[in-house]
């Protein structure tokens, strides 16, 4: 067996490993919160609420980021840039090159955009979680 779905075996295995890493990175808010709950299971109270809070804060941060940054930039690229290019402006714009790269390869950057905030948000809430629960009960 020298091929898997038409690919060489080594390439198929590397594609499978990348797919697994992508899956874990995109689901990192859930996985990191569950790992934190498992690690602090003796002292952490309201563990399911912690998992939901980390997930909501991470994915909510990403939605705000998309709405505040990417939506205006994409509107600029769609409605204004073609007219400016037609008039002879923006020939060698670094901003346009970067924006075109991000909008073409957003799916490859998504694991990093989810994993990095998930790490910081889960650590932030884990350090303060018992105080938050006390404030909710009090």
């Amino acid at each position: 067996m020298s091929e898997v779905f038409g690919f060489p075996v080594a390439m198929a295995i590397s594609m499978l490993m990348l797919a697994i890493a992508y899956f874990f990175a995109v689901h990192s808010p859930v996985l990191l919160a569950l790992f934190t709950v498992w690690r602090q299971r003796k002292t952490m109270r309201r563990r399911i609420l912690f998992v939901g809070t980390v997930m909501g804060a991470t994915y909510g941060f990403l939605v705000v980021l998309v709405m505040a940054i990417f939506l205006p930039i994409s509107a600029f690229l769609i409605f204004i840039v073609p007219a400016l290019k037609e008039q002879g402006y923006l020939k060698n714009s670094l901003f346009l090159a970067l924006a075109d790269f991000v909008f073409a390869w957003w799916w490859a950057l998504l694991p990093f955009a989810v994993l990095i905030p998930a790490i910081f948000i889960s650590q932030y809430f884990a350090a303060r979680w018992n105080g938050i629960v006390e404030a909710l009960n009090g």
Side-chain angles (χ1 to χ4, degrees):
M1 180 176 201
S2 62
E3 291 184 352
V4 177
F5 296 116
F7 295 107
V9 175
M11 186 173 185
I13 291 172
S14 65
M15 288 170 48
L16 178 66
M17 298 305 287
L18 279 173
I20 291 170
Y22 191 94
F23 177 83
F24 281 119
V26 170
H27 292 91
S28 62
V30 179
L31 299 173
L32 287 172
L34 288 173
F35 179 71
T36 303
V37 164
W38 178 75
R39 199 178 64 220
Q40 297 179 6
R41 65 186 173 271
K42 302 279 188 209
T43 60
M44 184 177 278
R45 297 178 3 204
R46 300 188 71 177
R47 295 179 286 272
I48 294 173
L49 183 62
F50 175 79
V51 173
T53 302
V54 170
M55 284 174 37
T58 304
Y59 291 126
F61 172 75
L62 291 174
V63 168
V64 168
L65 185 73
V66 166
M67 293 299 164
I69 295 174
F70 294 119
L71 189 64
I73 291 174
S74 64
F76 176 74
L77 290 174
I78 292 170
F79 296 114
I80 297 173
V81 168
L84 291 175
K85 279 187 175 180
E86 186 177 313
Q87 293 175 358
Y89 299 108
L90 303 175
K91 294 277 188 210
N92 296 322
S93 174
L94 180 64
F95 170 73
L96 287 181
L98 183 65
D100 286 338
F101 173 78
V102 169
F103 286 108
W105 294 94
W106 66 269
W107 57 271
L109 301 173
L110 183 65
F112 302 107
V114 174
L115 181 63
I116 293 168
I119 291 169
F120 288 113
I121 289 172
S122 64
Q123 288 178 351
Y124 178 82
F125 280 119
R128 295 160 179 81
W129 188 248
N130 288 331
I132 292 171
V133 170
E134 286 296 322
L136 289 175
N137 291 335

